[in-house]
């Protein structure tokens, strides 16, 4: 198949140039067009061959994806940038969705590559130790693309499963109360002394990393440039101040709320040791 043009959905990592993959740099170095939200275009930095830069609004994900695909369908070499990893709360999905919706359009002739990047949770974790060393999940607290009830439900389940949580989009000016509500939901199942890490602008010029506890987490000190890692019951702080979740999970798992397990089906095989 002859491709019209190509589109790379590139993860720039969380900020530090050293955290950008060689593949991401290679695609940027030969792009004719770079498309992205303003602050992400700034993360790209100077490019010697001066490609066309197309800045867009952060909210117009579907439009941005279609625009980038449209340029590539004209035969151009396009890079669509995301911060961190493009597949984590970012543009890779918007591109795949646009393709799915427009199967008959010219987009089918565009060669598409997703170039992974270091996601914010990994970057914040690396700066403080290894809090993601055991099972963890990532949850976005933004209710722009999903109802807040869904967020709360997921927080409850993740908490009940004793997973470490990496919270993205933790608090914006438009929804300042949600982090406090999220913290209170987590406190229903987690102890107040649960370790919490707040990484802000990790890899960037205003980087800071704070270690606190769930009970003492002050939502007022958190903004959209933060990734908040809430430890499991096993997460601890070492003598040198590093935060880690041991590779081995010790101790009983907290009881899960919910319906009891259904009875075995009639005629199913029984353990002979369990008697008649
Ligand atoms: N694709 C990105 C996430 C985009 S959602 C990634 O993989 O990292 C935007 C959220 O990511 C922010 O609200 C914040 O929670 C987190 N984030 C992005 N860059 C960050 C950084 N440098 N430091 C801390 N958190 C960051």
């Amino acid at each position: 198949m002859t491709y019209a043009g190509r589109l790379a959905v590139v993860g720039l990592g969380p900020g530090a140039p050293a955290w950008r993959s060689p593949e991401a740099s290679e695609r940027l170095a030969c792009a004719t067009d770079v498309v992205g939200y303003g602050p992400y275009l700034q993360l790209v930095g100077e490019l010697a061959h001066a490609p066309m830069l197309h800045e867009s609004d952060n909210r117009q994900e579907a439009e941005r994806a279609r625009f980038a695909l449209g340029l590539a369908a004209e035969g151009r070499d396009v890079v669509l940038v995301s911060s961190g990893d493009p597949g984590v709360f970012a543009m890779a999905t918007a591109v795949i969705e646009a393709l799915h919706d427009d199967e008959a359009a010219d987009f089918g002739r565009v060669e598409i590559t997703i170039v992974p990047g270091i996601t914010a949770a990994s970057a914040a974790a690396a700066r403080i130790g290894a809090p993601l060393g055991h099972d963890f999940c990532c949850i976005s607290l933004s209710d722009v693309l999903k109802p807040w009830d869904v967020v709360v439900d997921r927080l409850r389940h993740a908490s009940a499963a004793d997973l470490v949580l990496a919270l993205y989009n933790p608090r914006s000016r438009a929804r300042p109360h949600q982090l406090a509500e999220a913290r209170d939901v987590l406190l229903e199942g987690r102890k107040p002394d649960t370790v919490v890490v707040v990484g802000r602008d990790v890899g960037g010029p205003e980087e800071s990393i704070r270690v606190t506890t769930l009970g003492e987490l002050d939502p007022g000190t958190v903004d959209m440039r933060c990734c908040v890692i809430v430890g499991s019951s096993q997460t601890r702080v070492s003598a040198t101040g590093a935060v880690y979740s041991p590779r081995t999970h010790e101790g009983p798992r907290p009881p899960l709320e919910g319906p009891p397990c259904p009875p075995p089906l009639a005629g199913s095989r029984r353990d002979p040791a369990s008697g008649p």
Side-chain angles (χ1 to χ4, degrees):
M1 172 169 179
T2 320
Y3 289 114
R6 53 181 201 158
L7 170 63
V9 192
V10 163
L12 297 171
W19 281 346
R20 185 181 304 171
S21 76
E23 186 183 1
S25 299
E26 276 161 27
R27 290 303 295 252
L28 283 165
C30 59
T32 57
D33 298 80
V34 181
V35 181
Y37 172 49
Y40 300 163
L41 286 181
Q42 278 173 16
L43 274 184
V44 170
E46 291 290 310
L47 292 169
H49 67 304
M52 293 272 293
L53 299 181
H54 306 271
E55 183 175 335
S56 66
D57 188 291
N58 197 23
R59 296 210 165 207
Q60 307 303 329
E61 283 193 358
E63 227 170 78
R64 206 183 323 161
R66 273 170 210 285
F67 176 70
L69 281 161
L71 285 174
E74 287 168 16
R76 303 184 68 85
D77 191 338
V78 185
V79 167
L80 174 56
V81 288
S82 283
S83 76
D85 184 279
V88 179
F89 309 127
M91 288 304 297
T93 318
V95 168
I96 308 285
E97 276 180 343
L99 286 173
H100 186 78
D101 294 345
D102 276 285
E103 274 159 317
D106 269 352
F107 297 161
R109 292 178 48 239
V110 172
E111 182 196 327
I112 296 185
T113 309
I114 316 278
V115 180
I118 296 174
T119 192
S122 300
R127 287 293 202 231
I128 197 67
L132 308 180
H134 207 92
D135 300 336
F136 71 96
C137 66
C138 297
I139 296 183
S140 168
L141 294 195
S142 170
D143 63 354
V144 174
L145 300 173
K146 66 184 169 208
W148 179 244
D149 286 354
V150 171
V151 179
V152 169
D153 188 52
R154 288 183 180 175
L155 290 171
R156 281 213 171 92
H157 281 85
S159 181
D162 201 22
L163 293 168
V164 172
L165 291 97
L167 304 179
Y168 285 64
N169 299 307
R171 185 169 178 269
S172 77
R173 261 170 282 166
R175 41 184 185 82
H177 312 296
Q178 290 176 345
L179 182 59
E181 199 178 326
R183 179 198 59 198
D184 294 346
V185 166
L186 293 175
L187 276 169
E188 290 168 10
R190 299 247 165 131
K191 293 186 180 157
D193 65 358
T194 301
V195 185
V196 169
V197 175
V198 181
R200 183 168 190 279
D201 192 30
V202 182
E206 291 177 28
E207 172 172 318
S208 70
I209 292 274
R210 270 185 307 126
V211 180
T212 181
T213 61
L214 196 55
E216 284 175 1
L217 175 64
D218 175 2
T221 60
V222 174
D223 63 15
M224 280 297 267
R225 295 172 76 185
C226 296
C227 182
V228 179
I229 300 177
V230 180
S232 70
S233 65
Q234 309 294 303
T235 306
R236 59 196 74 168
V237 184
S238 77
T240 57
V243 176
Y244 70 106
S245 303
R247 300 276 291 127
T248 311
H249 189 285
E250 285 166 15
R253 211 171 61 120
L256 276 177
E257 284 170 20
C261 292
L265 292 175
S268 66
R269 201 167 64 84
R270 301 186 61 139
D271 178 355
S274 66

